[in-house]
Amino acid sequence: MMTVNITNALINYLCGENNFLKHKNDHMKVTVVGAGAVGATCADNIARKELCNELVLLDIKEGVAEGKAQDMMQTATLLGFDTKIVGSTNDYTKTAGSDVVVITSGLPRKPGMTREELIGVNAGIVKGVCENILKHSPNAIIIVISNPMDTMTYLALKSTGLPKNRIIGMGGTLDSSRFKYQLSQHLGCSPADLNAVVVGGHGDTTMIPLISKATWNSAPVTDFLTAEQQEKIVKDTMVGGATLTALIGTSAWYAPGAAGAALVESIIRDEKKLFTCCVALEGEYGQKDICLGVPVTIGKNGWEKIIDFKLNDAEKAAFEKSAAAVRSMNDVLATL
């Protein structure tokens, strides 16, 4: 009898008023704009983790979003998720009431192409997406993945007039994950045991892997790596995207998609996790009127707090150089 009572009490607790089993994000809605490789991967991760009860995948190309949505829904019984996935060809009414919107739409990089070269085409796409999304979801938090990500995030902020905490650029989250991968290869350890972040712009020459602050659990990674290894890790991290583009003929998608989904998860579940994200700076890190990658906490309100990592002189100089490069790209927006 005691065992039965304990079991019933446990069930009642797990299904209680504020418990996650009863309120498994049952009123949350997420939209992913762009059903290409990155968008579809992001949507797949969101569905598998049941971060929302409804997920909309939208694309401009006829039938693509609908087809991928059906394909994902046909995995639901195999993977055990209940999220409803809806595909839409450019019908933004289906996105109405979205809590979080991930923008992946735009041209991907091709071999030899920089993220910066994409600005002319993708600026028009991102601006149009933001306008259409906010017509139907005025309270949405927007995550920008489209490249050049720093400039597209700045464009989204300026063109929408939304509070700064509701516009988040994904880039540093991905770059930091790539940094941990490179470190793990040299240290022979699990990437999960590493704390390492990349700040600055999301570009091959603008990102700044903070190797001086990276740790293997609590031990500085510099205690275990030669100067030559450290230099190679930083270099390989910075060209991580270009390396994959050269190998597979287009931009990567598994890690970018997972990075976008990780941010969605921290928002939906109010996790307050620390990520490097491209956000609006108003004096932080010595910069103003720019969106750039810095460590922030991510929760139900979007990005909630910027963390000052106390950069050393060399890192400060690199950050200023990165900001100058991103500003030069932002200046192009005025000519479009």
Side-chain angles (χ1 to χ4, degrees):
M1 180 65 69
M2 182 176 292
T3 301
V4 173
N5 289 339
I6 292 173
T7 301
N8 288 337
L10 179 60
I11 292 172
N12 290 335
Y13 168 74
L14 291 175
C15 295
E17 182 65 26
N18 296 312
N19 191 264
F20 72 97
L21 289 184
K22 182 176 181 180
H23 298 279
K24 191 174 61 177
N25 309 310
D26 53 352
H27 298 298
M28 306 303 290
K29 183 173 181 178
V30 176
T31 289
V32 177
V33 182
V38 174
T41 302
C42 182
D44 185 49
N45 277 273
I46 292 169
R48 288 179 187 232
K49 291 188 174 185
E50 295 188 296
L51 300 182
C52 54
N53 71 312
E54 184 177 0
L55 173 63
V56 178
L57 187 61
L58 183 144
D59 199 277
I60 195 171
K61 189 173 181 180
E62 185 72 36
V64 172
E66 291 89 343
K68 291 191 178 183
Q70 281 192 39
D71 194 13
M72 287 182 212
M73 282 299 295
Q74 289 164 15
T75 72
T77 186
L78 303 170
L79 298 174
F81 66 79
D82 293 316
T83 300
K84 176 185 177 183
I85 309 172
V86 176
S88 171
T89 299
N90 224 31
D91 181 1
Y92 282 85
T93 62
K94 292 183 178 179
T95 71
S98 293
D99 298 282
V100 184
V101 176
V102 184
I103 302 177
T104 73
S105 48
L107 294 181
R109 278 206 293 176
K110 297 179 181 179
M113 178 185 288
T114 66
R115 294 180 177 92
E116 292 77 12
E117 289 177 290
L118 297 176
I119 187 170
V121 175
N122 286 356
I125 294 173
V126 170
K127 185 176 180 180
V129 168
C130 287
E131 290 173 353
N132 284 308
I133 283 295
L134 292 176
K135 287 177 184 177
H136 305 283
S137 302
N139 298 315
I141 294 170
I142 295 176
I143 297 172
V144 179
I145 296 181
S146 306
N147 279 316
M149 193 275 314
D150 303 291
T151 297
M152 294 301 102
T153 304
Y154 182 78
L155 173 65
L157 178 70
K158 293 299 183 180
S159 65
T160 62
L162 290 178
K164 61 183 181 179
N165 63 292
R166 286 170 52 193
I167 302 290
I168 303 169
M170 179 279 294
T173 304
L174 169 62
D175 296 333
S176 297
S177 180
R178 287 173 171 167
F179 187 22
K180 292 177 185 178
Y181 163 75
Q182 294 296 341
L183 284 165
S184 72
Q185 297 303 292
H186 287 263
L187 292 169
C189 71
S190 168
D193 281 342
L194 296 167
N195 284 307
V197 300
V198 175
V199 298
H202 180 55
D204 301 345
T205 61
T206 57
M207 70 179 72
I208 308 159
L210 296 180
I211 198 160
S212 71
K213 293 174 174 55
T215 59
W216 183 359
N217 282 334
S218 60
V221 299
T222 50
D223 289 352
F224 308 97
L225 300 167
T226 66
E228 290 76 17
Q229 285 178 306
Q230 294 176 45
E231 183 178 353
K232 179 171 174 53
I233 288 166
V234 168
K235 180 180 178 181
D236 288 348
T237 298
M238 294 177 71
V239 298
T243 299
L244 292 172
T245 301
L247 287 170
I248 60 181
T250 187
S251 295
W253 59 90
Y254 293 117
L263 294 178
V264 172
E265 182 173 14
S266 197
I267 293 168
I268 295 293
R269 294 181 172 162
D270 194 24
E271 292 178 332
K272 314 292 188 186
K273 283 188 175 180
L274 186 67
F275 292 96
T276 302
C277 293
C278 179
V279 300
L281 300 181
E282 296 179 349
E284 301 91 348
Y285 285 83
Q287 301 297 326
K288 293 182 179 180
D289 191 30
I290 194 171
C291 292
L292 212 55
V294 294
V296 296
T297 54
I298 301 291
K300 64 181 180 181
N301 298 312
W303 69 266
E304 299 184 350
K305 182 168 59 175
I306 294 174
I307 307 301
D308 187 354
F309 267 27
K310 307 297 182 184
L311 305 184
N312 61 36
D313 289 343
E315 292 162 348
K316 287 179 181 178
F319 197 85
E320 290 175 3
K321 183 178 179 181
S322 178
V326 170
R327 278 199 176 85
S328 69
M329 286 191 289
N330 293 349
D331 290 342
V332 178
L333 294 173
T335 68
L336 299 178

